[in-house]
Amino acid sequence: MVDVTEEEMDNPTFKSDTVLSDVHLHCPNKRHLMVRLNAVGQPVFLSYFKLLWNAEDLASEKNVREATTEREHQYRSGDELCDKDRNNLKKERTINIEGVEALLDDDGDLEVVRRPRSASDLEAEDLLRDRVYPVVLMKGKEDAFEDEEQECTCSDVVKIEHTMATPLEDVGKQVWRAAFLLADYILFKRETFRCCSVLELGGGTGITSIIMGTVAKRVYCTDVGEDLLAMCEQNVALNKHLMEPGRGEVKVKELDWLKDEFCTDPEAPYSWSEGEIADLHDHCTVIMAADVFYDDDLTDALFRTLYRITHNLRNSCTVYLALEKRLNFTLRHMDVTCEAYSHFRNTLNDLENLQDRKMKYTVEAIKLDFCQFLVYERIEQL
């Protein structure tokens, strides 16, 4: 029990640095179960994301969402309540009013009497309503997902542990649209990435690396922060069923863009061995990053890291960058702008125009007309 003073209740404090991803809202009829608290006390949820391998699957998911929305609208407007339901509700309201009056004592205080469970259950059966029951699981127990597992085969479900709201410095623990967009492109161009060696910068929860691991030979999924990397490693373990035998190895490693060297300290978790660094330099042909351009300083650091790594690669490399343009009203411009995206584009132009005797960078935009394999809203800002 927490004691809250009257002054605290009258003066609530709102934190302005809280960031919320809306990806988990795309499946409102699915359960997102809290499985544990992480090392810093944030709730961690386990969500299932189904892969849609054909247009019929996508159309079916769309119809389900539209039907759910329409049903919710009907519930609010009362259109779906038949005469029997209306009578039951009216009768219930009458009983409740009379019951409240009967429970008042001599002083007018309410004496609450708990109704028997059986009566409550019978009344619940008469109401045509969807009920949501929050479920809290201990780590490692996934019994509550049995219904979902029965509905879909193991080969078309991605399990991801993630948070739903974090401070800005922990946004990697959430799932973002651009990660789904890049995952769609990987699944659409499976043959392009087959048997490749891949590096992901800012891998976050690891969902894009996991999808890449279904076709590539080896994926180095990198980020910073032991707690985030542990979550990413857990997600890789949860999705071993998607990897082809003998291929699809996903290695979770630390890569700090603010440092000039790989972490090779054997005492540090998620550090690199000399052999892994050599393997990356000798075989990597694909680098990818999704939704990592939200801070100008980190954008500069990422491009410095990108420049350093590509200079050490033995083979030519293709870099795939996916992001969402987030529009914000700024007092400096007194207008709606997208400063993070503008800085990203300027830095990208600088890289393309760089006069370097060893390397040449070319930039090409990818049309977003490829198939959608995951259920999310592919907005025009992607």
Side-chain angles (χ1 to χ4, degrees):
M1 184 174 180
V2 180
D3 292 330
V4 182
T5 65
E6 186 174 343
E7 182 179 357
E8 289 174 334
M9 294 181 66
D10 292 338
N11 298 282
T13 301
F14 297 94
K15 293 185 177 180
S16 60
D17 63 346
T18 300
V19 183
L20 174 67
S21 169
D22 60 355
V23 166
H24 63 278
L25 298 177
H26 294 143
C27 303
N29 58 327
K30 299 293 185 181
R31 287 179 290 175
H32 302 270
L33 306 182
M34 192 186 100
V35 293
R36 61 186 173 90
L37 295 177
N38 61 19
V40 294
Q42 297 166 338
V44 176
F45 294 82
L46 177 62
S47 295
Y48 277 30
F49 299 100
K50 185 178 181 181
L51 297 176
L52 308 176
W53 293 111
N54 53 59
E56 287 75 13
D57 286 343
L58 187 58
S60 176
E61 289 284 342
K62 182 179 180 181
N63 291 337
V64 169
R65 292 198 305 275
E66 290 177 349
T68 302
T69 303
E70 177 65 21
R71 187 168 64 250
E72 291 173 351
H73 173 73
Q74 290 174 339
Y75 283 150
R76 289 192 297 268
S77 63
D79 293 341
E80 195 171 300
L81 290 174
C82 63
D83 293 338
K84 179 181 177 181
D85 299 321
R86 290 194 183 94
N87 292 335
N88 286 339
L89 288 176
K90 184 177 180 181
K91 181 179 179 181
E92 182 183 2
R93 293 191 191 102
T94 304
I95 293 175
N96 288 341
I97 294 173
E98 293 174 352
V100 168
E101 293 176 349
L103 294 174
L104 296 179
D105 60 15
D106 296 337
D107 298 328
D109 298 325
L110 180 64
E111 294 181 350
V112 179
V113 179
R114 186 180 299 276
R115 289 188 302 175
R117 174 181 291 272
S118 58
S120 177
D121 292 341
L122 290 174
E123 291 176 7
E125 291 177 1
D126 291 335
L127 298 177
L128 298 177
R129 297 177 181 172
D130 289 336
R131 295 204 173 198
V132 178
Y133 298 94
V135 182
V136 179
L137 303 180
M138 298 301 292
K139 183 176 180 181
K141 296 182 180 180
E142 301 178 15
D143 300 345
F145 279 104
E146 289 180 356
D147 295 340
E148 286 86 346
E149 287 181 338
Q150 292 174 359
E151 295 176 1
C152 48
T153 61
C154 290
S155 60
D156 61 4
V157 169
V158 183
K159 308 174 188 177
I160 296 294
E161 284 193 2
H162 62 95
T163 58
M164 289 188 180
T166 63
L168 185 62
E169 61 268 20
D170 281 339
V171 292
K173 296 175 183 177
Q174 301 185 49
V175 185
W176 301 93
R177 282 195 187 98
F180 282 99
L181 181 71
L182 187 52
D184 274 346
Y185 186 76
I186 294 167
L187 293 171
F188 181 69
K189 292 282 189 179
R190 286 189 289 272
E191 294 304 318
T192 301
F193 302 107
R194 193 167 296 280
C195 299
C196 287
S197 183
V198 181
L199 169 68
E200 182 176 11
L201 302 174
T205 61
I207 185 170
T208 309
S209 284
I210 290 168
I211 295 298
M212 179 64 84
T214 63
V215 291
K217 179 180 180 181
R218 183 173 293 109
V219 182
Y220 291 99
C221 181
T222 67
D223 216 309
V224 291
E226 185 176 346
D227 193 49
L228 172 59
L229 293 172
M231 175 186 286
C232 182
E233 189 174 53
Q234 168 71 1
N235 286 332
V236 172
L238 285 173
N239 292 280
K240 285 291 186 182
H241 61 282
L242 297 175
M243 313 299 175
E244 295 184 17
R247 286 194 308 204
E249 182 183 17
V250 179
K251 293 189 173 185
V252 179
K253 297 293 177 182
E254 178 183 332
L255 183 55
D256 191 340
W257 306 339
L258 300 177
K259 298 179 180 179
D260 294 332
E261 301 294 337
F262 292 93
C263 176
T264 57
D265 181 3
E267 299 296 326
Y270 308 106
S271 63
W272 296 72
S273 68
E274 295 297 335
E276 289 169 337
I277 296 175
D279 175 68
L280 177 71
H281 288 158
D282 290 343
H283 301 105
C284 180
T285 57
V286 174
I287 298 177
M288 61 182 183
D291 232 330
V292 295
F293 305 103
Y294 55 90
D295 178 89
D296 291 355
D297 293 336
L298 288 179
T299 296
D300 294 338
L302 181 141
F303 275 97
R304 287 196 298 269
T305 301
L306 196 61
Y307 178 83
R308 173 173 57 85
I309 291 177
T310 52
H311 262 248
N312 291 319
L313 297 181
R314 174 176 294 184
N315 305 302
S316 60
C317 178
T318 305
V319 183
Y320 295 91
L321 305 176
L323 70 157
E324 179 180 341
K325 296 167 60 177
R326 292 180 173 84
L327 304 175
N328 296 287
F329 180 84
T330 61
L331 293 176
R332 184 171 65 176
H333 297 91
M334 292 303 292
D335 196 3
V336 176
T337 63
C338 190
E339 293 185 310
Y341 176 76
S342 299
H343 185 77
F344 158 75
R345 288 296 310 183
N346 292 334
T347 311
L348 189 63
N349 292 336
D350 292 341
L351 184 68
E352 188 177 20
N353 297 327
L354 184 66
Q355 299 295 326
D356 193 312
R357 296 179 181 180
K358 292 183 178 180
M359 302 275 299
K360 179 182 180 182
Y361 299 90
T362 59
V363 177
E364 178 184 352
I366 297 175
K367 293 182 179 180
L368 303 187
D369 55 356
F370 49 88
C371 298
Q372 187 168 338
F373 293 89
L374 289 154
V375 180
Y376 67 101
E377 186 182 5
R378 191 180 284 185
I379 60 177
E380 61 181 357
Q381 286 78 23
L382 284 173

